[in-house]
Amino acid sequence: MSNIRVHLDLAADLPVTAADPYQLQQVFLNLVNNAVDAILEQSKDGDLWVRTGTNGDRIFIESQTVVPACRMLPGIRSLLHDKPVGKERGWD
């Protein structure tokens, strides 16, 4: 059994934006699934950090995975690289 802790740092003042909620749901589901895969490749437990905010007129979301064996692996790296066959990112 894995023990993955999720930490949210969500900006309270994000502006309203036009977006397809189903596409966003798929993006976030892929983000979490890929982060869990990245953590479980290294350890039986770990942390997933998710942060939202703005930068000028843009909205962003950041993720980061942390496992006991190594410190601060950027979550985005696991989304872009090192995915074995059958563990694709889901948005190619």
Side-chain angles (χ1 to χ4, degrees), residues 9-86:
D9 180 11
L10 306 177
D13 59 347
L14 291 178
V16 175
T17 188
D20 182 331
Y22 300 107
Q23 286 183 353
L24 288 177
Q25 180 180 18
Q26 189 64 47
V27 167
F28 294 131
L29 181 61
N30 288 338
L31 180 100
V32 170
N33 284 337
N34 289 331
V36 168
D37 287 346
I39 290 169
L40 295 179
E41 286 173 6
Q42 301 291 321
S43 178
K44 291 183 180 178
D45 70 335
D47 295 275
L48 168 60
W49 295 84
V50 179
R51 183 169 77 95
T52 62
T54 58
N55 184 2
D57 63 347
R58 296 182 181 256
I59 299 170
F60 68 84
I61 181 168
E62 295 177 335
S63 71
Q64 189 170 57
T65 58
V66 180
V67 295
C70 55
R71 303 289 350 134
M72 298 300 203
L73 294 173
I76 194 69
R77 189 175 121 212
S78 68
L79 295 175
L80 300 175
H81 303 289
D82 303 328
K83 287 300 212 183
V85 173

